[in-house]
Amino acid sequence: METEEKIYKGLPASKGIAIGEVFVYKTESHYYDIKDKFSDPATEISDYESAIRNSIKELNKIFNLAKEKLDDTNLQIFDAQLTFLYDDLLHSKIKQRILQENKPAHIVFSEEIKKLEDALMNANDDHLRERVNDIEDIKNRVLRNLNKGRLFSKIKENAIVVARNLTPADTILFSNRNLLGIATDLGGINSHVSIISRSLKIPAVVGMHDISVHISSGDMALIDGYKGVLIKNPSENTIAGYTEKIKQNLEFEKKLEELEKLPSETKDGVKINLSVNLEFNDEIDYVTAHFGCDVGLYRTEHMFLEYGDFPDEETQYRQYKFLAEHVYPGKVTIRTFDIGGDKILPEHQKELNPFLGWRGIRISLDKEDILQTQFKAILRASTKGNVKIMLPLVSSVDEVIKSRKILLKAMEKLDESNFKYDRNIKLGIMAEVPSVVFMAEDFADVADFFSIGTNDLIQYTLAVDRDSSLVSHLYQKFHPSVLKAIKALVDGAASKGIPVNVCGEMSSDPCAVALLIGLGIKELSVEPISFLRIKNIIRQISYTHACEIAEKALQMNTENEIRNYLCEFYNEIKTEVN
Amino acid sequence: MIEKKVRIINKAGMHTRPASQLVKIAAKYKADFYIIKDGFQINGKSIIGVMSLAAEEGSELTLKFDGPDEKSAASEIIKFFEEGFGEP
């Protein structure tokens, strides 16, 4: 085994430093080849049974959600796939073979499916040969579920997870296993794995190209989430240096903690409502105890990923009520499901451009009952008057009007059952599609507030996929057009007297704080990990100065110029705690 | 026990969709249901069995029904074959 220290570079996705053993998480495609150790027939059989159950659950979920989106042929294929999963003769044969031949479930299952595939491939008829695809799909689904269940039990606690890529569901799965850190080949600093690791406060480095090949499970590694590097086999010197760095960071954090009880206002006394973005309920206690702030954005997608389906009204209600009660007297803005079609649609129906496709409010309006259920659950949690609703990915005024109608219907339904709720609940929108920028005044007529989602606003304004490593350098948050877009949204909101906040990644960027305040933003919603850092910056700038900075930046026409200007200003104040 | 020879008449043959429908029809009945093709017999209540026959247009199959409700099972299933599984 090589023990030489080696440094690999990537993108800093989530701050923090971790030292520990590596666990390489191999995703589906190359996981099939792994020769698993055979445990014992009883375990193999129960693994197989639960893989079949999970596959049935998955298919039913897809079937129900995609029913109206699929043509008849595809629906029948789904239905046929379900018939496979209910084939008891197949199951009993597989179980019998596991027992008699002492072979692992995935091998026996693959062999049985292979027999069928061979039979079809030998047919003289093209039609039948093509059916191999249907079978391939069902085979992959079962094998994936078989592996997933085992994988989870195999994930080492307290390890650094290295993977080609992690889906949001993977990341959430891992979060229950005490991860030390994450390193991935793919992904940008704004991809989901990065956002989730920041919210879970797990150090992460992404975009490492092929780290998953260069490192193996059991290797020692160090992850530096500040610089974006992974050090394989760190030497004693390196570890000592980092131990010192960890110490310094802790001291700085400690100094920052003194800010907890101080107000979030500029040097010249302008109040800035600093709130947090939340994704998981277990973060709430920490936030209320230490920050005592509003929740500017509560994402609800994680429920979909956890339950593998849209949760029912009661399940949602319990989560929202818990949240609203804990945050009270603070306010909480709950965003309706912001799920992409890529999470729901089957492989062969996937859209070419999921970011321009069926996602966010588009799904919610096509599936009115899902939106109405979510509205009812949110309304029921609003009795203390501290809850607001926010719609994601709005691109037309119609969508707001339709949503409001559904909200009224939800209220009527609750009235029928004598439920109490806040009749004046605010319904706002995420401002993240350029059409909202161009029509800011019109949107301000129908929405109660704007929340600027900078990640999507930047990607849609600049036509850059933030996850594509080929163009990610063109994803420029200080692009002059982005500044102008924010300005237009602030002006549009002001013309109708509605509030506007920024809840995207940009609000957690220290260099952006003065700019945003200067542009007229009075509310910033940040990731909890950045809360005190951002508060510290707010307290060190004056509002008048911020306005001058924003005005100057608006005159500039390259991102480079703007970035240098803003970061220079930040560097002057960054090490002080005030 | 009932035995009956049938022919596959639809263009696409016994592919995924008709196989799945056939299995579902067979499951409604108590009677055992077997299909024999080229001397090879499979259980007609198992989709993986039915599909492994790789029965294309023109194939000749023997259907076997055995059980208390074999008559009704045979009549519904034979009809399904005669209608070309509702396909061209």
Side-chain angles (χ1 to χ4, degrees):
Chain A
M1 201 171 116
E2 36 167 348
T3 51
E4 201 186 323
E5 175 171 309
K6 212 163 173 190
I7 299 180
Y8 298 92
K9 283 207 166 122
L11 303 166
S14 175
K15 289 173 202 151
I17 291 159
I19 305 172
E21 204 177 293
V22 166
F23 172 80
V24 180
Y25 172 62
K26 306 237 176 167
T27 39
E28 300 140 21
S29 53
H30 43 300
Y31 200 73
Y32 297 146
D33 304 334
I34 290 184
K35 300 271 177 293
D36 268 330
K37 256 204 204 142
F38 177 66
S39 35
D40 63 280
T43 316
E44 292 296 326
I45 286 173
S46 83
D47 282 356
Y48 176 73
E49 284 172 340
S50 73
I52 294 292
R53 269 198 306 275
N54 287 332
S55 302
I56 290 176
K57 216 172 124 190
E58 264 180 32
L59 263 180
N60 273 322
K61 176 186 85 189
I62 295 170
F63 195 69
N64 287 330
L65 287 167
K67 234 184 286 189
E68 292 140 37
K69 294 277 161 187
L70 295 176
D71 52 36
D72 272 359
T73 323
N74 273 315
L75 276 182
Q76 282 163 349
I77 287 175
F78 265 127
D79 196 40
Q81 292 193 347
L82 273 172
T83 319
F84 266 96
L85 294 174
Y86 284 116
D87 193 331
D88 284 335
L89 280 157
L90 170 67
H91 300 332
S92 56
K93 183 160 188 196
I94 285 176
K95 288 182 217 166
Q96 199 186 354
R97 282 194 53 197
I98 293 174
L99 280 173
Q100 287 174 347
E101 300 169 30
N102 266 333
K103 276 187 180 171
H106 69 275
I107 297 204
V108 176
F109 177 76
S110 304
E111 285 172 1
E112 286 300 317
I113 296 292
K114 181 89 189 354
K115 281 189 209 161
L116 174 59
E117 285 178 341
D118 288 347
L120 290 175
M121 287 310 283
N122 287 332
N124 296 321
D125 190 291
D126 281 344
H127 295 292
L128 288 178
R129 279 199 293 271
E130 278 166 21
R131 308 284 41 120
V132 170
N133 291 331
D134 302 343
I135 290 151
E136 194 68 15
D137 209 41
I138 201 84
K139 177 173 100 180
N140 287 341
R141 189 178 299 284
V142 172
L143 285 179
R144 177 166 47 74
N145 278 315
L146 203 48
N147 286 333
K148 206 154 103 193
R150 295 169 173 208
L151 202 54
F152 183 57
S153 58
K154 274 203 278 182
I155 296 167
K156 285 192 70 137
E157 298 264 354
N158 298 315
I160 292 174
V161 166
V162 176
R164 178 101 189 114
N165 198 11
L166 291 177
T167 64
D170 290 333
T171 319
I172 290 174
L173 184 80
F174 285 139
S175 70
N176 299 325
R177 302 291 289 182
N178 288 332
L179 282 203
L180 290 180
I182 292 175
T184 60
D185 292 350
L186 305 176
I189 52 173
N190 290 311
S191 58
H192 282 284
V193 57
S194 307
I195 293 172
I196 293 175
S197 22
R198 280 195 288 273
S199 88
L200 295 168
K201 302 189 184 67
I202 300 170
V205 182
V206 300
M208 304 199 75
H209 299 292
D210 45 12
I211 186 71
S212 65
V213 181
H214 292 301
I215 206 159
S216 327
S217 292
D219 284 348
M220 280 303 287
L222 184 152
I223 279 193
D224 179 347
Y226 296 96
K227 274 200 213 144
V229 297
L230 180 149
I231 305 174
K232 182 177 161 183
N233 299 323
S235 69
E236 272 176 36
N237 272 342
T238 308
I239 292 179
Y242 267 99
T243 316
E244 179 59 24
K245 203 172 165 189
I246 293 172
K247 210 175 111 200
Q248 280 172 12
N249 282 328
L250 284 176
E251 277 166 19
F252 185 69
E253 308 265 326
K254 211 162 186 162
K255 266 172 48 191
L256 283 177
E257 277 170 25
E258 291 163 17
L259 298 177
E260 282 179 3
K261 299 277 169 287
L262 297 172
S264 159
E265 59 182 26
T266 61
K267 273 205 283 199
D268 45 357
V270 175
K271 290 234 177 306
I272 302 296
N273 182 4
L274 189 61
S275 58
V276 293
N277 300 337
L278 279 195
E279 173 130 21
F280 302 104
N281 276 353
D282 46 12
E283 295 172 285
I284 295 172
D285 284 334
Y286 185 85
V287 164
T288 47
H290 293 266
F291 307 154
C293 63
D294 291 350
V295 174
L297 164 63
Y298 180 71
R299 305 183 180 99
T300 54
E301 302 75 76
H302 70 97
M303 278 189 255
F304 176 84
L305 297 167
E306 271 166 63
Y307 295 98
D309 199 349
F310 291 103
D312 61 22
E313 183 181 323
E314 283 307 313
T315 311
Q316 292 188 51
Y317 165 66
R318 279 197 299 274
Q319 299 241 13
Y320 305 150
K321 185 171 143 58
F322 176 86
L323 177 73
E325 280 179 353
H326 275 68
V327 175
Y328 188 81
K331 293 186 166 56
V332 50
T333 304
I334 300 175
R335 184 174 71 187
T336 59
F337 295 120
D338 190 11
I339 294 168
D342 52 329
K343 311 258 159 30
I344 303 177
L345 294 170
E347 203 60 52
H348 55 286
Q349 283 263 321
K350 290 239 157 115
E351 299 167 295
L352 281 178
N353 291 309
F355 278 107
L356 303 181
W358 200 48
R359 56 173 291 216
I361 191 67
R362 299 169 184 180
I363 296 184
S364 297
L365 285 176
D366 280 353
K367 303 265 158 198
E368 214 186 292
D369 50 331
I370 291 173
L371 187 60
Q372 200 187 102
T373 303
Q374 190 167 26
F375 279 162
K376 275 158 72 187
I378 298 174
L379 283 167
R380 284 173 58 196
S382 72
T383 47
K384 286 180 187 282
N386 67 334
V387 176
K388 298 188 246 184
I389 305 176
M390 178 153 76
L391 308 170
L393 205 82
V394 168
S395 59
S396 299
V397 167
D398 282 351
E399 291 166 334
V400 188
I401 297 172
K402 271 189 206 153
S403 303
R404 202 177 282 279
K405 277 194 190 141
I406 296 172
L407 181 64
L408 287 174
K409 265 194 227 162
M411 288 181 172
E412 281 168 22
K413 286 261 166 71
L414 291 182
D415 287 337
E416 285 166 19
S417 326
N418 288 320
F419 278 116
K420 287 204 171 61
Y421 58 89
D422 176 10
R423 270 171 207 282
N424 300 313
I425 196 161
K426 300 276 187 243
L427 180 69
I429 60 166
M430 290 286 289
E432 53 189 346
V433 178
S435 60
V436 178
V437 175
F438 292 120
M439 297 176 62
E441 286 195 21
D442 304 79
F443 278 95
D445 274 332
V446 292
D448 295 327
F449 61 90
F450 288 167
S451 186
I452 305 178
T454 47
N455 305 8
D456 278 338
L457 181 62
I458 296 168
Q459 108 163 331
Y460 292 135
T461 301
L462 303 178
V464 171
D465 176 357
R466 58 194 185 193
D467 285 338
S468 160
S469 55
L470 295 175
V471 293
S472 61
H473 63 287
L474 298 176
Y475 178 89
Q476 302 171 333
K477 71 178 113 177
F478 297 125
H479 193 284
S481 63
V482 174
L483 271 55
K484 290 187 167 62
I486 297 174
K487 177 81 167 51
L489 288 167
V490 170
D491 291 347
S495 75
K496 311 286 170 171
I498 66 163
V500 52
N501 78 355
V502 175
C503 67
E505 288 287 307
M506 197 162 176
S507 53
S508 300
D509 182 337
C511 293
V513 179
L515 171 76
L516 293 174
I517 292 176
L519 285 171
I521 301 286
K522 295 283 185 339
E523 293 180 43
L524 292 173
S525 194
V526 302
E527 302 300 326
I529 197 171
S530 308
F531 185 87
L532 293 175
R533 268 167 223 275
I534 300 298
K535 191 191 232 184
N536 184 35
I537 298 167
I538 293 171
R539 294 177 52 81
Q540 291 191 59
I541 54 182
S542 79
Y543 180 67
T544 355
H545 192 193
C547 291
E548 287 163 19
I549 289 175
E551 205 168 306
K552 257 199 191 157
L554 278 170
Q555 308 293 322
M556 301 176 179
N557 61 11
T558 67
E559 124 110 354
N560 222 351
E561 205 181 350
I562 299 173
R563 174 180 293 279
N564 288 340
Y565 175 61
L566 295 176
C567 291
E568 206 173 299
F569 170 72
Y570 166 65
N571 281 332
E572 287 167 24
I573 57 169
K574 79 171 179 193
T575 49
E576 292 161 40
V577 174
N578 197 346
Chain B
M1 194 180 65
I2 302 175
E3 259 196 54
K4 165 92 180 163
K5 278 203 165 95
V6 289
R7 197 177 277 280
I8 305 261
I9 55 171
N10 68 319
K11 270 222 158 53
M14 178 65 86
H15 62 93
T16 325
R17 190 194 61 82
S20 145
Q21 276 180 298
L22 179 68
V23 169
K24 277 189 194 164
I25 297 173
K28 294 193 297 185
Y29 299 98
K30 286 202 182 72
D32 290 335
F33 168 46
Y34 295 97
I35 308 177
I36 302 156
K37 183 186 170 229
D38 307 329
F40 186 62
Q41 173 172 308
I42 59 92
N43 191 319
K45 293 187 173 183
S46 159
I47 184 164
I48 196 158
V50 172
M51 286 201 70
S52 65
L53 291 177
E56 59 227 29
E57 186 186 8
S59 317
E60 203 180 64
L61 313 175
T62 306
L63 311 181
K64 256 166 64 177
F65 305 89
D66 192 4
D69 50 4
E70 57 187 39
K71 263 197 177 154
S72 13
S75 99
E76 188 174 354
I77 288 173
I78 290 165
K79 187 161 166 262
F80 186 54
F81 274 90
E82 283 169 350
E83 286 167 351
F85 313 131
E87 286 184 359

